[in-house]
Amino acid sequence: MSSTAARGPRIVIVGAGFGGLFAAKALARADADVIIVDRHNYHLFQPLLYQVATAGLPASDIAWPIRSMLRRQRNTAVLMDTVTAIELDAGRVRLRGREPIGFDYLIVATGATHSYFGHEEWQEVAPGLKSIDDATAIRRRILTAFERAEMETDADERERLLRFVIVGGGPTGVELAGAISELAHYALARDFRTIDPRSAQILLAEAGPRLLPAFSEASSDYARRALERLRVDVRTGSAVTELADDRIMIGGETLRAGTVIWAAGVAASPAASWL
């Protein structure tokens, strides 16, 4: 593919999340060739990932084919590939599966990834929630914890398996904590014979002074009260200082936990360093 387009300038959009997709739609009438590149062939509605992670929705309900969403845009092409580098001086985007493609204009909309604040070793123990793969892996961990607790004869180990810790009191953490509590107290409440899923302990830890720090104090207070009604143990001013396979230290207290989910921070995607 050359850098000179037949219709006019070539605009390459890297990423088909909200930013990339809205940019492509805004360029529907532009006198240009638009190419949108994403490593997946679907657009993911990330705000509902927590529902997939807690078995509330199937993954197919929050993922839509990019091609079908843009099929009426005659100036737009979709490439499913992984961008490995951006050559600004040459005006090219390097791809993993094909020759580089040139651009006259470039839009980088690659989103964000997890931030563990310098503790990348915690990622294996406490997965984050940014993709369908993350959501299905977390769902498997949650449901497996109940199944293992059903078969466990040691009371202390059963208690550990039924303790779920969510780190981070932003929107994702609040949604996950509430959804896991509803799963335990309603959806699974009558499905087991040895354990009572309603005995599960759901703990939400936030290092800052309140939940939802980007929202108003009224919204923070409302979210806390709603979670406490769902019997979620909400702890603010409680930073995580240690994390291992079977334990977590929060605010100086060490707890044994079967499932830990990370919702505490985000970082720009690696594409930022390419620019």
Side-chain angles (χ1 to χ4, degrees):
M1 299 172 110
S2 67
S3 62
T4 303
R7 292 174 53 90
R10 172 179 289 166
I11 304 171
V12 173
I13 303 171
V14 181
F18 289 116
L21 189 65
F22 275 85
K25 286 182 171 292
L27 293 165
R29 299 182 182 276
D31 185 19
D33 279 348
V34 179
I35 300 175
I36 187 164
V37 184
D38 197 281
R39 59 184 174 178
H40 303 295
N41 64 353
Y42 57 83
H43 167 76
L44 178 65
F45 190 78
Q46 282 194 339
L48 287 179
L49 269 175
Y50 80 97
Q51 289 277 15
V52 177
T54 54
L57 286 175
S60 58
D61 279 7
I62 65 167
W64 295 280
I66 302 166
R67 295 182 188 280
S68 67
M69 299 176 78
L70 298 175
R71 63 188 169 195
R72 295 184 180 179
Q73 294 189 202
R74 298 198 174 189
N75 68 340
T76 303
V78 177
L79 294 181
M80 189 180 80
D81 209 329
T82 299
V83 174
T84 58
I86 296 170
E87 300 175 355
L88 285 178
D89 293 339
R92 299 193 308 177
V93 172
R94 298 185 66 85
L95 304 174
R96 179 167 294 165
R98 66 192 74 207
E99 293 296 314
I101 56 174
F103 62 82
D104 297 295
Y105 298 95
L106 176 68
I107 298 173
V108 179
T110 49
T113 186
H114 314 296
S115 174
Y116 288 84
F117 307 110
H119 292 279
E120 300 308 315
E121 71 277 9
W122 291 353
Q123 186 167 354
E124 291 298 318
V125 181
L129 184 59
K130 292 292 182 190
S131 69
I132 284 180
D133 290 342
D134 294 337
T136 53
I138 289 172
R139 181 179 63 194
R140 184 166 57 249
R141 287 194 183 206
I142 293 171
L143 296 179
T144 300
F146 286 101
E147 295 294 343
R148 290 179 59 193
E150 174 77 355
M151 297 183 291
E152 182 57 58
T153 57
D154 182 81
D156 290 339
E157 178 63 10
R158 185 184 298 161
E159 182 180 358
R160 183 189 75 85
L161 289 168
L162 292 178
R163 180 175 289 121
F164 301 87
V165 178
I166 300 93
V167 182
T172 299
V174 168
E175 290 164 342
L176 277 170
I180 294 172
S181 181
E182 289 178 338
L183 182 70
H185 288 98
Y186 300 102
L188 300 180
R190 300 180 183 276
D191 290 356
F192 292 86
R193 297 294 178 265
T194 302
I195 64 169
D196 181 357
R198 293 169 295 185
S199 68
Q201 300 175 51
I202 296 93
L203 189 153
L204 176 61
E206 164 58 37
R210 62 185 178 94
L211 300 180
L212 303 176
F215 293 76
S216 68
E217 289 194 21
S219 296
S220 298
D221 293 341
Y222 177 84
R224 180 166 194 145
R225 291 195 303 271
L227 289 176
E228 288 174 345
R229 283 196 298 269
L230 288 169
R231 284 170 276 188
V232 174
D233 181 3
V234 179
R235 301 191 186 185
T236 52
S238 301
V240 174
T241 54
E242 184 180 342
L243 185 55
D245 286 340
D246 62 346
R247 69 184 184 279
I248 182 171
M249 181 176 284
I250 304 172
E253 180 184 3
T254 299
L255 296 169
R256 299 180 71 233
T259 303
V260 180
I261 304 171
W262 192 264
V266 296
S269 76
S273 63
W274 301 340
L275 302 176

